[in-house]
């Protein structure tokens, strides 16, 4: 499915509360970004039960039921989970992972809200969801007839909204503060190989695991938990972040010149994390056009140039990565040009 417009969690809830009441909605999105949780919240907001069916584990009879004879005629007896007397939200998760036969079984349920002679109670709502083909998840082509029976929307993860949710739901401070400092690490593209990857769901799992260990969790245990939940790059960065705060390094103090960069060989991962954090801040706060700099941004530019000069004296490689493109995000061209122009002068100034 190729959609030109995506929505965040709040926008999706608005779509469900408006469109979902009158038409079946299909939610597309990567694994672990909260599709199921939003549908449950939607059902809760309406005071309805949410019945979830997992498409990848269904057979046709799980939808249409099995035939039985009554008064010399055959009829289908729908499953208990579906055949209810009160209205509810029927959530067809992983709908595009169903076999073609199961998809056919959904036609009348989605289009007419009925299965054989059984009709969903008035006020019932049907919502479907599935992963995209590019997510390396189990997917099958959906027939045009089925696609055309639903309204389609694609969900993307919003770090800001996830942090709002995390603050209300007891996410561990290590995880909350890390995503607050590196919101670009909330989600990572699913890998082609079999390995963990970062999603809102995996960060939630990591939070639960850390809380289970308790406040005195060791660095070795944190390394195991991060490696088992996140993509390798984010796991390494998360562990460096924990070492940074435990060693009381702060990017704000480093920028202000109140604290030096960590320079010990055993702190190289912390140095790399702080350098990447500086890069993330510059990407976020510096405008693409120099003429749009605010007073605070001008101060940040001067501080960043000085600190990157200092960083290059400790590790030229890490200094280079702090200004290199990452995940499609680049520093403004004018800043990179000015930095390389001013580096000799700044280095000479420091050596006097």
């Amino acid at each position: 499915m190729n959609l030109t417009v995506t929505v965040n969690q709040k926008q999706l809830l608005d779509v469900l509360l408006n469109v979902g009441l009158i038409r079946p909605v299909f939610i597309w999105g990567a694994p672990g970004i909260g599709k199921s949780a939003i549908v449950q919240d939607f059902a809760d907001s309406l005071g309805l039960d949410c019945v979830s069916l997992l498409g990848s584990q269904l057979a046709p009879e799980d939808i249409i039921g099995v035939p039985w004879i009554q008064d010399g005629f055959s009829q289908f007896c729908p499953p208990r989970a579906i055949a209810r007397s009160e209205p509810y939200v029927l959530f067809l998760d992983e709908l595009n992972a169903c076999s073609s036969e199961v998809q056919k079984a959904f036609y009348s349920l989605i289009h007419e809200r009925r299965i054989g002679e059984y009709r969903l109670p008035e006020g019932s709502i049907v919502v479907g969801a599935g992963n995209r083909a590019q997510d390396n998840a189990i997917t099958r082509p959906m027939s045009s007839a089925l696609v055309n029976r639903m309204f389609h929307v694609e969900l993307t993860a919003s770090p800001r909204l996830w942090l709002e949710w995390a603050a209300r739901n007891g996410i561990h401070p290590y995880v909350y503060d890390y995503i607050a400092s590196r919101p670009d690490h909330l989600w990572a593209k699913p890998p082609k190989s079999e390995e963990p990857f970062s999603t809102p769901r995996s960060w939630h799992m990591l939070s639960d695991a850390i809380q289970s260990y308790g406040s005195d969790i060791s660095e070795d245990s944190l390394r195991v938990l991060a490696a088992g939940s996140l993509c390798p790059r984010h796991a390494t960065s998360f562990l460096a972040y924990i070492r940074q705060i435990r060693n009381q390094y702060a990017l704000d103090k480093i920028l202000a010149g109140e604290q030096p960069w960590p320079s010990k060989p055993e702190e190289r991962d912390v140095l790399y994390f702080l350098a990447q954090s500086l890069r993330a801040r510059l990407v976020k706060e510096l405008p693409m056009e120099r003429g749009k700099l605010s007073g605070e941004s001008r101060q940040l530019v001067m501080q960043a140039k000085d600190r990157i000069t200092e960083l290059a004296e400790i590790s030229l490689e890490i200094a280079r990565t702090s200004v290199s493109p990452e995940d499609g995000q680049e520093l403004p061209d004018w800043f990179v040009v000015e930095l390389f122009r001013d580096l000799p002068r700044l280095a000479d100034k420091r050596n006097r």
Side-chain angles (χ1 to χ4, degrees), residues 68-75:
W68 64 301
I69 305 298
Q70 184 177 30
D71 300 329
F73 296 93
S74 66
Q75 66 180 51

Side-chain angles (χ1 to χ4, degrees), residues 95-112:
L95 177 55
N96 61 331
C98 299
S99 67
S100 59
E101 293 303 314
V102 173
Q103 289 185 21
K104 290 177 184 177
F106 280 128
Y107 280 16
S108 60
L109 180 60
I110 292 172
H111 185 55
E112 300 174 331

Side-chain angles (χ1 to χ4, degrees), residues 289-303:
E289 298 178 19
R290 201 187 196 291
K292 295 182 179 180
L293 277 174
S294 64
E296 290 184 359
S297 297
R298 291 179 188 276
Q299 183 179 11
L300 176 61
V301 168
M302 291 187 293
Q303 290 176 331

Side-chain angles (χ1 to χ4, degrees), residues 164-171 204 211:
E164 290 179 6
W165 171 87
R168 300 191 304 268
N169 287 272
I171 293 299
H204 192 180
Q211 289 175 338

Side-chain angles (χ1 to χ4, degrees), residues 175-249:
V175 172
Y176 181 93
D177 292 343
Y178 180 82
I179 295 301
S181 66
R182 293 303 307 265
D184 53 316
H185 285 191
L186 179 62
W187 181 82
K189 185 177 180 180
K192 294 182 180 180
S193 58
E194 295 176 345
E195 64 182 35
F197 60 100
S198 306
T199 66
R201 178 166 58 202
S202 64
W203 284 108
H204 192 180
M205 288 193 299
L206 177 59
S207 169
D208 288 346
I210 295 173
Q211 289 175 338
S212 180
Y213 271 74
S215 58
D216 59 346
I217 183 172
S218 68
E219 186 175 309
D220 285 341
S221 294
L222 281 167
R223 181 178 291 105
V224 171
L225 298 183
S229 306
L230 312 173
C231 71
R233 184 164 61 89
H234 292 176
T236 299
S237 182
F238 176 75
L239 193 63
Y241 166 76
I242 301 303
R243 293 189 65 197
Q244 168 214 327
I245 59 175
R246 286 185 171 182
N247 293 325
Q248 298 183 332
Y249 284 106

Side-chain angles (χ1 to χ4, degrees), residues 14-59:
D14 285 341
V15 169
L16 291 173
L17 287 170
N18 289 279
V19 180
L21 300 181
I22 56 173
R23 293 288 183 180
V25 173
F26 190 96
I27 307 166
W28 297 87
I33 61 172
K35 300 186 292 294
S36 302
I38 291 175
V39 175
Q40 182 64 59
D41 289 344
F42 166 62
D44 291 342
S45 70
L46 298 176
L48 299 177
D49 286 340
C50 182
V51 176
S52 179
L53 299 180
L54 199 60
S56 58
Q57 299 179 7
L58 295 176

